[in-house]
Amino acid sequence: MNPLLARWRATSLSVRTLLLLGFSTLFLLGMAGAQQIRRTTGDEIILRTRPVDPRDLLRGAYVRLDYEIERVHLPNLPNAADPADWKEGDRLFLTLRSDGVAWQPVALSRKKQIIEPGDVALRATYQRREDFADTSAPGKNMPVDVLLDIGVDQYYAAEEVALDMERDARETPLDVILSVGGDGRPVIKGLVVNGEKRYETLL
């Protein structure tokens, strides 16, 4: 028998329980610490959300977020790659550039590209494309919109805050503050409320 396993079995139940609780606590603190590091070391960007059906906005104490950039209009992106061979679930990189208020797409590709200073490469998952009739060539379709998922579509809020957000979202889409790491993965840092940045912390 493995000596470590034998020693573990010989340990009293109360000591084993305390050890398991201690390891679980350390694990959770480590996860929270890693998230906090991602929040503080990544590039900060602000994304606008699209209006959503208020009946579908809340999931318990979580607010569902639906970002404008998750629908990319390809004719507006001269630097977008050809989506002909993309499949659902493929990883893509969406290059964003600030317009002074929020961040807008400027390129979309399968691999992370060399970006201009000040731009941010955001990792996204390809969902599908929507083709529309090409009026200049009857009988043919052309890809117009590409739907993406950037992976941060829920924001936790206390119940009363979530209800206020639900009410406000009917009239004004939310602005969400994200931190984007070097690998392109985003983490929610907070919200912009009435023009004021409100940051959330884990520790």
Side-chain angles (χ1 to χ4, degrees):
M1 181 182 293
N2 188 303
L4 290 177
L5 180 59
R7 184 177 300 178
W8 174 257
R9 289 182 174 178
T11 305
S12 66
L13 180 60
S14 59
V15 172
R16 279 189 283 177
T17 301
L18 288 175
L19 287 173
L20 289 173
L21 287 174
F23 287 139
S24 299
T25 301
L26 288 174
F27 177 74
L28 292 174
L29 287 175
M31 289 182 60
Q35 283 287 85
Q36 188 63 20
I37 290 173
R38 293 186 68 86
R39 289 179 180 216
T40 56
T41 59
D43 293 317
E44 182 177 298
I45 66 174
I46 297 177
L47 297 183
R48 293 170 178 163
T49 61
R50 291 193 296 251
V52 298
D53 184 344
R55 294 169 299 179
D56 194 38
L57 182 64
L58 291 179
R59 288 292 181 268
Y62 286 88
V63 176
R64 185 174 69 84
L65 303 172
D66 189 14
Y67 300 92
E68 288 184 348
I69 65 163
E70 290 183 315
R71 176 180 288 269
V72 178
H73 192 59
L74 290 183
N76 293 340
L77 263 67
N79 296 322
D82 184 358
D85 61 342
W86 294 351
K87 297 179 177 62
E88 182 179 356
D90 282 354
R91 179 184 299 176
L92 304 175
F93 285 92
L94 183 65
T95 302
L96 302 174
R97 181 173 299 160
S98 176
D99 63 4
V101 178
W103 292 71
Q104 306 296 335
V106 294
L108 180 63
S109 59
R110 185 183 291 276
K111 295 182 179 180
K112 187 176 181 179
Q113 305 294 316
I114 297 176
I115 59 176
E116 299 292 332
D119 290 355
V120 171
L122 180 67
R123 195 168 77 172
T125 301
Y126 177 72
Q127 300 294 303
R128 67 181 187 276
R129 66 191 236 188
E130 294 184 349
D131 293 350
F132 297 84
D134 185 351
T135 56
S136 64
K140 294 185 178 181
N141 289 339
M142 59 182 299
V144 174
D145 289 347
V146 169
L147 303 186
L148 306 172
D149 177 13
I150 64 172
V152 280
D153 59 354
Q154 288 186 332
Y155 178 80
Y156 175 80
E159 183 177 358
E160 62 276 9
V161 175
L163 290 173
D164 288 341
M165 293 170 67
E166 176 190 26
R167 183 191 63 246
D168 294 342
R170 300 180 189 184
E171 299 178 358
T172 306
L174 296 170
D175 284 349
V176 181
I177 307 170
L178 301 180
S179 177
V180 182
D183 59 358
R185 295 174 60 185
V187 175
I188 296 178
K189 292 180 67 173
L191 303 174
V192 179
V193 181
N194 295 324
E196 178 185 353
K197 294 181 179 180
R198 296 187 182 180
Y199 293 97
E200 301 292 336
T201 58
L202 298 175
L203 299 175

